[in-house]
Amino acid sequence: MIFVLPIPILLNQLYKPIISNGTTRLIKNKKAKDYETTIKILALKQKIKCLEDVPISLKIDLLRKNKANDIDCDGVLKLLLDSLEGICYNNDKQVCEIIIRKHLFQDENKIILCCEQINDEVLKKYYAKKIKPATGRKNSKTV
């Protein structure tokens, strides 16, 4: 499925600190919450369907008007992935592959997102059984 989105605020603008009982916590600020709401509205308009409990591949094209307002590709990912939960997938843990490309000197600033199920047999078995992936360690018994 293809989904056209606005570019989210950057990671360093995403959270505001809250101090409670001497402990600092970070919570999403109003701009971040507004972005998530915008994504939900756009998903309804574009009739995006959630891919449930399957491995997901995301292909993200980040279109920018010019180099003067250029941003890092990774700076948009956190809020974008969080905002897509419940829209393209149930949980961002389902995302097993991300390909992101930046295109400068475009007509407008936006993201074009392609969200697809991965047809990898190993990943299909993992999601079918709902087991934890192997860590690479072998259990050995001593006699």
Side-chain angles (χ1 to χ4, degrees):
M1 76 185 103
I2 305 289
F3 196 9
V4 180
L5 308 164
I7 294 175
I9 61 174
L10 301 178
L11 185 60
N12 60 356
Q13 302 166 357
L14 181 58
Y15 297 101
K16 66 178 180 181
I18 301 292
I19 300 172
S20 174
N21 298 329
T23 304
T24 303
R25 293 181 306 135
L26 297 176
I27 63 168
K28 288 181 184 170
N29 63 26
K30 184 176 179 344
K31 286 183 180 179
K33 291 176 183 176
D34 289 347
Y35 183 81
E36 289 177 333
T37 301
T38 300
I39 297 305
K40 286 177 179 41
I41 292 167
L42 289 172
L44 287 171
K45 286 182 180 178
Q46 296 181 41
K47 299 179 181 171
I48 301 299
K49 294 183 181 173
C50 186
L51 298 172
E52 298 181 14
D53 299 324
V54 294
I56 302 290
S57 170
L58 296 178
K59 293 174 183 75
I60 302 165
D61 286 291
L62 179 60
L63 281 60
R64 303 295 293 167
K65 284 185 180 179
N66 58 49
K67 197 167 175 74
N69 63 2
D70 194 13
I71 57 175
D72 291 338
C73 288
D74 62 338
V76 302
L77 288 177
K78 176 65 177 153
L79 182 56
L80 179 63
L81 294 178
D82 287 351
S83 298
L84 294 171
E85 279 191 356
I87 295 171
C88 289
Y89 41 79
N90 286 330
N91 189 303
D92 61 6
K93 291 179 183 178
Q94 288 175 250
V95 178
C96 299
E97 176 182 72
I98 299 174
I99 298 169
I100 186 166
R101 299 177 295 192
K102 183 168 37 175
H103 308 273
L104 297 175
F105 310 111
Q106 302 299 309
D107 293 336
E108 60 183 308
N109 293 325
K110 65 182 174 184
I111 288 176
I112 300 173
L113 173 85
C114 177
C115 180
E116 300 175 319
Q117 178 178 347
I118 295 176
N119 290 318
D120 184 299
E121 290 303 315
V122 173
L123 288 173
K124 278 185 186 176
K125 288 177 186 175
Y126 167 73
Y127 278 92
K129 293 180 183 178
K130 303 263 187 189
I131 58 170
K132 293 183 180 180
T135 60
R137 295 183 195 170
K138 292 183 179 178
N139 292 335
S140 59
K141 296 181 181 178
T142 54
V143 181

